[in-house]
Amino acid sequence: MMKRLAFLFGVLMAPMLLQAAELSAEDERALRSALDEHLRDADSAKFKDLKYGAEGSFCVKVNAKNAYGAYAGYSPFMGMKLQSGKFFILKGGSSAVEQVCRQQGMLD
């Protein structure tokens, strides 16, 4: 699984041009919407270290509230920002995602 994930993300991000970015209000709403199916409380999400790669690929650290209403700590998520302005979350919250984002130079 880890090798497949690394390969897939590597192919998507091959011509990597890293760029740190601040989220606009519109992008933040779109990212929260995409995270809705991945998080218990996407509205509570806090973002940091958003970095874009080639073709709209990105990695971002996300901290959101868990079932007990407490923040669970920052976890890496990766995905694509589509030309429509919507975000697609490829995978998130695992050590595999963190490793792939680090290998691509998108996480410190």
Side-chain angles (χ1 to χ4, degrees):
M1 172 69 173
M2 173 60 189
K3 287 182 181 180
R4 265 191 269 163
L5 183 60
F7 175 76
L8 175 63
F9 205 60
V11 167
L12 291 173
M13 299 169 53
M16 184 63 60
L17 298 171
L18 292 180
Q19 174 183 359
E22 292 295 320
L23 277 173
S24 68
E26 185 177 324
D27 279 354
E28 187 172 327
R29 281 190 298 276
L31 184 53
R32 283 182 197 284
S33 178
L35 285 166
D36 197 40
E37 65 185 67
H38 298 273
L39 300 173
R40 182 172 297 276
D41 184 1
D43 289 334
S44 72
K46 297 178 182 181
F47 307 107
K48 74 176 185 177
D49 299 337
L50 172 68
K51 290 190 180 170
Y52 283 106
E55 305 295 325
S57 60
F58 71 90
C59 284
V60 63
K61 291 180 185 173
V62 179
N63 189 7
K65 291 183 178 178
N66 60 22
Y68 300 105
Y71 280 95
Y74 283 94
S75 296
F77 282 77
M78 63 184 178
M80 302 289 294
K81 181 178 179 188
L82 307 175
Q83 289 181 349
S84 66
K86 292 184 179 182
F87 284 80
F88 172 75
I89 304 301
L90 191 62
K91 186 78 175 144
S94 71
S95 59
V97 171
E98 183 172 0
Q99 186 174 354
V100 171
C101 287
R102 283 190 195 287
Q103 285 174 348
Q104 297 298 324
M106 297 179 82
L107 277 183
D108 301 325

